[in-house]
Amino acid sequence: MHILIIGAAGMVGRKLTAKLVTDGIGGRPAEKLTLVDVVIPDSPAGFSGAVSAHEMDISTPGEAEKLIATRPDVIFHLAAIVSGEAELDFDKGYRINLDGTRYLFDAIRLANGEDGYKPRVVFTSSIAVVGAPLPLSIPDDFHLTPLTSYGTQKAISELLLADYSRRGFFDGIGIRLPTVCIRPGKPNKAASGFFSNILREPLIGEEAILPVPLDVRHWHASPRSAVGFLIHAAEIDLDRVGPRRSLSMPGVSATVGEQIEALRRAAGEKAVKLIRHEPNEMIMKMVAGWAPGFEARRATELGFTAEKNFDEIIRVHIEDELGGKLG
Amino acid sequence: MHILIIGAAGMVGRKLTAKLVTDGIGGRPAEKLTLVDVVIPDSPAGFSGAVSAHEMDISTPGEAEKLIATRPDVIFHLAAIVSGEAELDFDKGYRINLDGTRYLFDAIRLANGEDGYKPRVVFTSSIAVVGAPLPLSIPDDFHLTPLTSYGTQKAISELLLADYSRRGFFDGIGIRLPTVCIRPGKPNKAASGFFSNILREPLIGEEAILPVPLDVRHWHASPRSAVGFLIHAAEIDLDRVGPRRSLSMPGVSATVGEQIEALRRAAGEKAVKLIRHEPNEMIMKMVAGWAPGFEARRATELGFTAEKNFDEIIRVHIEDELGGKLG
């Protein structure tokens, strides 16, 4: 099986690559990996198959065609400008998050017209496709009401994915990722970064800044769950999914205060004391429109699973990133 | 006031132009009209202001900039490839209905960046942005689930309209038109054309073909109401509308059988006998995914009004198209 990952150098992309190397998809091994990002992705350790890694901007016309010429069986499209950056740089956000996605979909469509090529396409959408006012637990049939350019670009991509799938150009499925928490590594430009920072940094004895009030409620899943969603999406029988191809994933609905209580249980008061409150107007305004939680009934029925609470999310982080114990 | 109508040569565009000539917008007269379509629009009769009519394809890069250079105060964007044609010609549908709309929005955005230009933009969306399974009366917060490429293109345009408005590039409002019935003139390529044909043709003693069963229920408003929606959208205080800028318009929910009963009341059994049942698989399949009706609560609260039943829709047609009486 030949698997293409666009956005392979990102945090989720790297974890997905590692998981595919060990597990493959649906019991079939990954024989060939094509890894693409705006910086050249690392080749995975311990992989006996072929790896082809490329530095590429898929928003450059003609680039997607080159990838599709190799006819991958499964395509994971993870590449995106994150929410904060897409809000600050209008042109870049639309170019990467909308045009890039459309170039990819059209390259597949043209290949489909040539020889009937019809890959599985797993697209990472986002809970940012909905925006306030929102119910506490958002139903699967809630309308698309993004309040950011990033959410708009993801919502548009969901619509394209559904139409191109309906037309038979590819077998597409969209995964609305909860905010991935705890993100390992350094902070990125995502406006949602603080949800991870306030746990990750104190867990290793570092300070973190909290830019919003304690009662902000949001929707989370671990990086391990995110990778699980993507692989399950690549394996699932799409006849069971039907024409509504983008699914809100399960997750944990928690306030920042509840996150901090879980941190206290895991690492004590000294960890909690490392969180510094520093209100940020721009982030507060963005977060006010974000989703507090989802019913995620369809995804749950279809076998997607996530953590049940923040204690579990912290435990996963300690296992996967900190060698199983706090220092 | 300078008003630009893109898609001015179409049925709704011509009626809108005529209405603007007599009534203006919000008590202000139309001093200048710029009329654009893929065929050159007729200049309106009895207009003392300036008219500038252009044959133009707004999906050609650079064309929208020329229109925006004249800085119209209000822009009506009606231009579209209709549903049946967008389904048959994938490229053309996306080019006109998506790229054309985006070129227009981006031309305004760039002008906004130059000198703060911020026109009112009234975009004609469609009830095709939702698709089956649907409730009998679709709420305002029902999600976007188009089952046609046309509906997908309209849904994407709604999302762009909301984001560009939120960003402050223009004051946009999207109007989800019910199926406009009774359309005057000759049948077009819209898959929904038969809803009009089965009334319009028998009312003047001509045969018409009914391609679907009598129990098909759908959502309608007259051309007069459609023009009323557009003008009200140009006048309305957008602070009352909020960030969810596309509104499902009020209308009449009726089965084909109920339409025919109204025809019988208006024109007798001899008219009804002119309808020939000729099932069409492609049309039946498309129509099966269409909306049976909308709650249209927000639009109604905001003062948009339509007919109450099909007797009224037929009466409007007789008044506006047949000189007030049947021949």
Side-chain angles (χ1 to χ4, degrees), chain A residues 86-87 90-91 94 98-99 102 109 131-133 140-149 152 155-156 159-160 163-164 166-167 169 243-244, chain B residues 86-87 90-91 94 98-99 102 109 131-133 140-149 152 155-156 159-160 163-164 166-167 169 243-244:
Chain A
E87 200 63 16
F90 185 91
D91 284 302
Y94 272 90
L98 176 50
D99 295 331
R102 200 166 161 210
R109 175 171 69 90
D140 286 325
D141 62 358
F142 196 79
H143 55 169
L144 296 171
T145 55
L147 291 177
T148 58
S149 292
T152 301
I156 291 173
L159 287 161
L160 293 172
D163 197 41
Y164 282 53
R166 185 186 63 81
R167 290 273 193 160
F169 303 141
R244 296 174 181 180
Chain B
E87 201 62 19
F90 184 91
D91 284 302
Y94 272 90
L98 176 51
D99 295 331
R102 200 167 161 210
R109 174 171 70 89
D140 285 326
D141 62 358
F142 195 81
H143 56 169
L144 296 171
T145 54
L147 291 176
T148 59
S149 292
T152 301
I156 291 173
L159 287 161
L160 293 172
D163 197 41
Y164 282 53
R166 184 185 65 81
R167 289 273 192 160
F169 304 142
R244 296 175 181 179

Side-chain angles (χ1 to χ4, degrees), chain B residues 300-320:
Chain B
T300 303
E301 281 166 21
L302 289 162
F304 291 91
T305 57
E307 289 77 21
K308 297 281 172 263
N309 53 54
F310 245 98
D311 299 292
E312 214 180 315
I313 285 180
I314 291 176
R315 191 162 64 241
V316 165
H317 180 75
I318 294 172
E319 285 174 12
D320 289 359

Side-chain angles (χ1 to χ4, degrees), chain B residues 258-278:
Chain B
E258 288 164 0
Q259 286 188 256
I260 293 172
E261 288 316 304
L263 174 67
R264 196 190 309 275
R265 286 190 291 275
E269 186 61 27
K270 69 176 191 308
V272 172
K273 284 211 166 132
L274 291 164
I275 301 171
R276 208 168 69 229
H277 293 244
E278 221 174 77

Side-chain angles (χ1 to χ4, degrees), chain B residues 17-243:
Chain B
T17 304
K19 190 75 174 168
L20 290 170
V21 163
T22 57
D23 295 6
I25 291 176
R28 291 175 62 192
E31 288 139 356
K32 182 177 174 191
L33 291 172
T34 301
L35 306 176
V36 174
D37 212 313
V38 288
V39 294
I40 197 154
D42 292 334
S43 289
F47 181 53
S48 58
V51 177
S52 172
H54 304 273
E55 182 185 326
M56 183 185 281
D57 178 350
I58 60 152
S59 74
T60 304
E63 296 292 80
E65 281 78 358
K66 292 181 200 162
L67 295 174
I68 297 312
T70 66
R71 299 293 193 264
D73 302 297
V74 178
I75 300 169
F76 292 97
H77 178 27
L78 317 177
I81 295 301
V82 295
S83 55
E85 192 172 4
E87 201 62 19
L88 292 170
D89 190 336
F90 184 91
D91 284 302
K92 189 174 179 184
Y94 272 90
R95 192 174 73 243
I96 307 280
N97 295 350
L98 176 51
D99 295 331
T101 299
R102 200 167 161 210
Y103 289 145
L104 173 66
F105 291 0
D106 274 331
I108 302 170
R109 174 171 70 89
L110 295 175
N112 175 273
E114 283 168 22
D115 60 13
Y117 171 64
K118 196 174 175 184
R120 173 69 52 106
V121 175
V122 180
F123 170 67
T124 50
S125 187
S126 163
I127 57 175
V129 296
V130 301
L134 292 167
L136 208 58
S137 187
I138 300 163
D140 285 326
D141 62 358
F142 195 81
H143 56 169
L144 296 171
T145 54
L147 291 176
T148 59
S149 292
Y150 174 81
T152 301
Q153 292 143 13
K154 290 293 189 184
I156 291 173
S157 301
E158 285 191 1
L159 287 161
L160 293 172
L161 182 91
D163 197 41
Y164 282 53
S165 295
R166 184 185 65 81
R167 289 273 192 160
F169 304 142
F170 53 68
D171 288 323
I173 178 166
I175 295 299
R176 288 183 191 160
L177 286 183
T179 290
V180 175
C181 189
I182 303 169
R183 285 184 68 88
K186 291 289 156 199
N188 71 1
K189 286 184 188 171
S192 57
F194 72 87
F195 289 116
S196 287
N197 301 351
I198 60 168
L199 302 176
R200 185 188 61 241
E201 302 303 305
L203 282 170
I204 54 166
E206 303 281 338
E207 276 202 350
I209 288 164
L210 173 63
V212 304
L214 290 174
D215 63 353
V216 166
R217 179 176 286 280
H218 194 45
W219 188 238
H220 305 272
S222 72
R224 192 196 284 179
S225 289
V227 168
F229 298 152
L230 292 168
I231 291 181
H232 189 60
E235 294 172 344
I236 202 170
D237 175 3
L238 287 177
D239 289 341
R240 290 179 64 204
V241 177

